[in-house]
């Protein structure tokens, strides 16, 4: 599983846990959220520092594999629709991969903005320096396995928490008379 996929899985897991917890409670009317002020674009050197950090932390690792995988999904869909022109579809798909690989920079730049919004250029340079040390390299290399191993732990924790929460709420409401 790629680091990107693991990040997505953990994020989806966290959202799922929150949704499950919220669904166990009565929905209260939500106050309108204030629009967040747009942050000005980061200086090119700040963005470059964020990109260097992303690469040093190996957070872009696996992006190269995603583009051919996505192309293959699209190719298979078209081949399924028009198997008689499979050879042409295959050739065109292969020829277009370099064009789409260039878009990887768009993703890296978008991710870099997440970091330039939260870290100064100096902080990003310090983080990059850390990830270039033996310990930082080890952290970057082992983090995917740690994230993958954490998914079932988070799932079990959130399942137990929501179950226990539901029991406690039901028991406390029952003490006041109504039964859920």
């Amino acid at each position: 599983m790629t680091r990107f996929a693991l990040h997505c899985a953990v994020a989806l897991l966290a959202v799922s846990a929150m949704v499950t917890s919220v669904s166990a409670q009565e929905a209260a009317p939500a106050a309108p959220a204030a629009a967040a002020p747009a942050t000005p674009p980061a200086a090119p050197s700040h963005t470059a520092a964020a990109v260097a950090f992303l690469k040093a932390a190996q957070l872009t690792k696996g992006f190269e594999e995603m583009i051919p995988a996505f192309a293959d999904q699209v190719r298979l869909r078209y081949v399924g629709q028009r198997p008689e022109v499979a050879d042409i579809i295959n050739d065109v798909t292969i020829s277009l991969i370099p064009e789409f690989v260039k878009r990887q920079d768009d993703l890296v730049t978008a991710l870099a903005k997440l970091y330039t919004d939260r870290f100064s250029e100096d902080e990003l340079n310090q983080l990059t320096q850390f990830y270039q040390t033996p310990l930082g390299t080890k952290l970057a290399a082992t983090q995917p396995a740690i994230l993958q191993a954490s998914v079932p732990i988070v799932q079990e924790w959130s399942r137990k928490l929501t179950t226990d929460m539901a029991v406690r709420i039901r028991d406390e409401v029952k003490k006041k008379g109504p039964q859920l």
Side-chain angles (χ1 to χ4, degrees):
M1 183 177 279
T2 68
R3 181 182 296 269
F4 180 76
L6 285 170
H7 285 297
C8 290
V10 171
L12 287 173
L13 187 60
V15 169
S16 173
M18 287 188 285
V19 169
T20 303
S21 295
V22 170
S23 68
Q25 304 171 9
E26 272 188 66
T39 56
S45 61
H46 194 178
T47 300
V51 169
F53 158 71
L54 287 167
K55 290 180 179 178
Q58 297 182 25
L59 295 173
T60 61
K61 191 174 185 180
F63 290 173
E64 306 84 24
E65 301 156 8
M66 290 171 53
I67 294 166
F70 292 156
D72 197 45
Q73 290 173 0
V74 175
R75 179 191 66 78
L76 289 171
R77 182 177 52 196
Y78 285 133
V79 166
Q81 293 170 356
R82 298 285 309 273
E84 72 278 7
V85 293
D87 290 342
I88 295 170
I89 295 168
N90 293 339
D91 292 344
V92 167
T93 302
I94 291 168
S95 72
L96 290 175
I97 287 178
E99 174 185 330
F100 290 103
V101 165
K102 293 176 186 174
R103 292 194 191 178
Q104 178 179 322
D105 291 341
D106 297 340
L107 177 58
V108 173
T109 301
L111 293 175
K113 180 160 178 27
L114 297 174
Y115 288 90
T116 60
D117 287 349
R118 291 163 177 82
F119 294 93
S120 71
E121 184 175 340
D122 183 56
E123 290 169 329
L124 289 164
N125 288 330
Q126 289 177 47
L127 286 167
T128 300
Q129 288 173 357
F130 167 72
Y131 277 102
Q132 291 171 339
T133 67
L135 180 58
T137 302
K138 179 180 180 180
L139 175 62
T142 58
Q143 195 115 22
I146 293 168
L147 286 171
Q148 190 169 19
S150 72
V151 170
I153 294 168
V154 172
Q155 286 174 330
E156 176 58 25
W157 175 85
S158 61
R159 186 201 58 73
K160 178 148 179 36
L161 181 75
T162 56
T163 300
D164 292 349
M165 193 179 292
V167 168
R168 288 286 292 130
I169 290 170
R170 185 184 64 231
D171 291 348
E172 292 302 312
V173 168
K174 186 176 180 182
K175 287 179 186 177
K176 299 187 183 297
Q179 194 162 349
L180 297 177

